[in-house]
């Protein structure tokens, strides 16, 4: 049974909220900064961060339809021709 786009986007929003709430607790934001600066971090912290990030990226991947080669090209609507 297909899942509605609204449900998929709600799942993305929920995973984003999970990650934001977790980062807002304790010293998680400061630890994230240390991690981004390539400083050592606690293994449990890193595992949790990776899991939450993976969950968020998977939700985004499910919510965004795959694009075919014809969709990758920029639309020409609104562009002016080079002919004068």
């Amino acid at each position: 049974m297909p899942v509605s786009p609204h449900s998929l986007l709600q799942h993305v929003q929920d995973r984003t909220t999970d990650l934001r709430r977790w980062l807002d607790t304790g010293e998680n934001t400061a630890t994230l900064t240390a991690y981004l600066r390539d400083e050592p971090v606690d293994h449990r912290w890193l595992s949790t961060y990776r899991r939450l990030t993976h969950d968020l990226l998977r939700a985004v991947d499910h919510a965004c339809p795959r694009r075919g080669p014809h969709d990758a090209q920029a639309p020409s609507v609104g562009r002016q021709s080079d002919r004068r």
Side-chain angles (χ1 to χ4, degrees), residues 42-54:
D42 177 69
H43 177 71
R44 263 184 57 207
W45 182 93
L46 186 57
S47 296
T48 303
Y49 174 74
R50 285 181 175 163
R51 179 181 54 80
L52 289 169
T53 302
H54 178 264

Side-chain angles (χ1 to χ4, degrees), residues 49-65:
Y49 174 74
R50 285 181 175 163
R51 179 181 54 80
L52 289 169
T53 302
H54 178 264
D55 292 348
L56 173 59
L57 293 176
R58 189 171 52 186
V60 169
D61 189 45
H62 288 282
C64 294

Side-chain angles (χ1 to χ4, degrees), residues 3 10-11 13 17 22 28-29 37 41 46-47 49 51 54 56 61 81-83:
V3 181
Q10 184 64 47
H11 190 67
Q13 185 177 16
T17 301
W22 181 76
N28 286 330
T29 300
R37 290 183 180 165
V41 296
L46 186 57
S47 296
Y49 174 74
R51 179 181 54 80
H54 178 264
L56 173 59
D61 189 45
S81 166
D82 289 338
R83 290 183 265 167

